[in-house]
Amino acid sequence: MSTTLITNLSEAFTADAAHTVVEHAAILIEGENIAWIGDAGQAPQADAVIDAAGRAALPGWVDSHSHLVFAGDRSREFVARMAGQDYAAGGIAVTTQATRAASDEQLAKLVQARAAEALAGGTTYLETKTGYGLTVQEEARHARIAATVVDQVTFLGAHLVPAGMDPQEYTDLVCGDMLERVRPYVQSADVFCERGAFNESQSRQVLAAAQAAGLGLRVHGNQLGPGPGTQLAVEFGAASVDHVNFLDASDVAALAESWAGWDPQGRTGLAGTVATCLPACDLSTRMPFAPARELIDAGVQVALASNCNPGTSYTSSMAFCVSTAVLQMHLSIEEAIVAATYGGALALGVQERVGSLEVGKRADIQLLNAPSVAHLAYRPGMNLSGPVFRAGRLAAGQFERAK
């Protein structure tokens, strides 16, 4: 099996449990995996050597929350919101209409282009959701298309009740024929438990049906105001609850209790419900930022994700989310990077494979055009993305080979 050595790294931020930073580093790739990390002066021989030219290295981003299967444009809605119009869930219907009108080929090209943008920005593991179809045929079509592009697909038929449909009849459809049709293409199911979307009873029904079908569970919760989403997520043992802008003390306590069986130092034990924060969405909707600092201090495992979607967060830039988390949400740069890498992997249940630079894990590595990961927040808004490796292969960007 061929080996490649990436050397002359100014530093390698591993995102391991200790937030280890290896200075003057090198990383040995064997096949798809990381075989060695350490001081460049002690690096083993390799079949090929890459000179990183003093760049910093860190794991590829793991984006655990996105909505990439869509067509159409909602920029006018964004302009109206910036002028003071409140955000409500109903804007989803605009995208649903445009997405239903797009052909398979058109949708596939759109998803592929968005995934390529994310990869160029350092995202090496990507989840996306359905949710802009809202009929049995369309949700199945979107799930099938997404499954050919991204790493994990989440079923979000419970995104919005279509106009003219009875909410309970639609919930029954989501839990019945729709769930059955999408099941071959998806790993998890989600529900938008929020005013204007699905109430507690309907959300409970969706989660129970998905659980019975053997799917992982996620919840859009507590985005637009206080509500039952977070408590439901913990009750059902959901892998994540996402948005979490409006939490009270009991919500934070419930999330913290879900991690009682987890050892953060050894990263072993029973994982709880990850609190996924979506800062780009919070900016776009002018909502209060999710209380990531409070959650981390309480012992909750936190993830950062892009929430890339046409209505409230049309960006796949995880670097932007990291810099915002540092500058506005009071996370350290180390905490923000871990949340955007290992935290996302934990939310998707793939932390044993991706999310940190450790021997035996998949070689998902991004190099920054900067000497330190601190530059992600130190130089906000700058494109610092350099070469990106996914599963040991150069997937985006260019570099000079030393030999």
Side-chain angles (χ1 to χ4, degrees):
M1 191 176 296
S2 65
T3 56
T4 300
L5 183 72
I6 306 174
T7 191
N8 194 17
L9 293 164
S10 57
E11 66 177 29
F13 181 84
T14 65
D16 65 4
H19 298 186
T20 301
V21 178
V22 181
E23 296 184 348
H24 311 297
I27 302 172
L28 181 68
I29 300 170
E30 184 175 9
E32 293 187 352
N33 298 328
I34 296 171
W36 179 90
I37 303 174
D39 187 286
Q42 302 174 5
Q45 295 294 310
D47 299 319
V49 177
I50 295 169
D51 185 350
R55 294 181 175 96
L58 68 160
W61 307 124
V62 180
D63 190 349
S64 60
H65 185 130
S66 75
H67 304 254
L68 302 183
V69 189
F70 68 87
D73 180 82
R74 283 164 64 184
S75 58
R76 289 184 179 179
E77 176 188 322
F78 171 79
V79 171
R81 190 166 62 249
M82 294 302 100
Q85 178 178 305
D86 287 342
Y87 169 65
I92 295 165
V94 176
T95 298
T96 298
Q97 182 177 8
T99 307
R100 288 175 179 174
S103 69
D104 284 10
E105 182 181 8
Q106 289 170 328
L107 273 185
K109 287 183 177 179
L110 288 169
V111 179
Q112 289 163 359
R114 291 164 189 147
E117 286 180 335
L119 179 62
T123 298
T124 53
Y125 198 95
L126 181 61
E127 179 266 11
T128 203
K129 306 177 193 300
T130 68
Y132 294 127
L134 307 185
T135 67
V136 172
Q137 179 178 348
E138 284 295 303
E139 285 292 301
R141 181 171 79 106
H142 299 179
R144 172 176 51 80
I145 290 169
T148 67
V149 181
V150 303
D151 298 286
Q152 287 196 27
V153 182
T154 299
F155 169 47
L156 186 58
H159 202 185
L160 187 73
V161 178
M165 284 201 71
D166 175 77
Q168 188 55 52
E169 288 182 3
Y170 182 71
T171 303
D172 292 342
L173 181 66
V174 168
C175 297
D177 291 347
M178 193 180 289
L179 175 59
E180 183 178 351
R181 284 285 300 278
V182 303
R183 181 66 186 88
Y185 310 110
V186 305
Q187 290 74 44
S188 301
D190 201 340
V191 58
F192 193 8
C193 181
E194 196 63 73
R195 61 180 171 88
F198 293 80
N199 64 27
E200 180 176 358
S201 175
Q202 294 157 353
S203 298
R204 184 180 295 277
Q205 182 181 345
V206 171
L207 292 171
Q211 191 172 62
L215 293 177
L217 303 180
R218 313 192 183 287
V219 176
H220 278 56
N222 300 74
Q223 177 188 6
L224 305 180
T230 294
Q231 297 285 347
L232 274 178
V234 172
E235 177 187 337
F236 277 86
S240 71
V241 56
D242 301 18
H243 287 290
V244 295
N245 301 80
F246 294 91
L247 300 181
D248 62 24
S250 66
D251 295 323
V252 175
L255 284 167
E257 179 60 27
S258 77
W259 289 96
W262 177 258
D263 173 19
Q265 280 71 46
R267 288 182 169 174
T268 58
L270 183 63
T273 298
V274 175
T276 303
C277 304
L278 309 170
C281 179
D282 300 342
L283 283 171
S284 177
T285 56
R286 291 181 171 164
M287 289 288 181
F289 285 106
R293 176 77 272 150
E294 180 183 358
L295 289 164
I296 290 174
D297 290 345
V300 179
Q301 299 293 306
V302 167
L304 293 175
S306 73
N307 191 28
C308 184
N309 76 84
T312 62
S313 185
Y314 200 178
T315 178
S316 61
S317 175
M318 292 289 283
F320 176 68
C321 295
V322 165
S323 64
T324 302
V326 174
L327 297 172
Q328 299 291 330
M329 300 168 71
H330 306 287
L331 271 61
S332 69
I333 184 65
E334 295 83 5
E335 289 171 330
I337 292 172
V338 169
T341 54
Y342 184 80
L346 198 55
L348 296 175
V350 291
Q351 69 273 14
E352 298 299 322
R353 190 75 178 109
V354 300
S356 59
L357 302 182
E358 299 181 77
V359 172
K361 285 196 172 183
R362 199 170 82 176
D364 287 5
I365 306 164
Q366 57 172 317
L367 306 185
L368 298 182
N369 293 322
S372 167
V373 296
H375 282 239
L376 288 164
Y378 177 48
R379 303 186 66 202
M382 303 302 293
N383 180 11
L384 301 179
S385 296
V388 179
F389 294 81
R390 185 180 186 277
R393 294 179 176 272
L394 182 68
Q398 296 180 339
F399 56 85
E400 295 294 328
R401 289 185 180 272
K403 66 178 181 181

